[in-house]
Amino acid sequence: MMGLTNLNSTHLSSAKITAAQDAIAALETALAEITVNLSPEDRRRYGSINEQNKLFVNKVYDYNQSQSNLSSAMSRICNP
């Protein structure tokens, strides 16, 4: 039987941490134009997805991914 080893023995250097933080900042900047912050009124109107609805939403997403030919042409253009 093999003994357990410390699987987290490799640490990032300061340069790699800085590079990762810069990459995250670049992603946030690139995605800023398509992200939407909901107002409190929007949150009340749209609500949240409970567990049962989450299963339904995930199933629809799976169908969309596996059978994209059934989607409208516009959704294929917007979500390649």
Side-chain angles (χ1 to χ4, degrees):
M1 180 180 214
M2 278 182 78
L4 291 176
T5 59
N6 184 359
L7 300 176
N8 195 17
S9 62
T10 305
H11 299 283
L12 295 175
S13 66
S14 295
K16 287 185 180 183
I17 291 172
T18 302
Q21 289 172 333
D22 291 344
I24 291 171
L27 280 172
E28 288 174 342
T29 302
L31 297 174
E33 66 185 44
I34 62 170
T35 57
V36 176
N37 286 328
L38 297 177
S39 68
E41 179 184 320
D42 290 336
R43 289 183 187 280
R44 281 191 297 278
R45 182 172 16 155
Y46 297 125
S48 61
I49 298 178
N50 63 25
E51 287 303 313
Q52 184 175 2
N53 289 342
K54 191 182 298 185
L55 294 173
F56 175 73
V57 169
N58 287 338
K59 190 64 173 176
V60 170
Y61 179 76
D62 288 343
Y63 278 129
N64 179 273
Q65 295 300 306
S66 65
Q67 299 179 14
S68 59
N69 60 321
L70 298 177
S71 297
S72 68
M74 183 55 90
S75 68
R76 286 192 296 274
I77 292 169
C78 295
N79 300 312

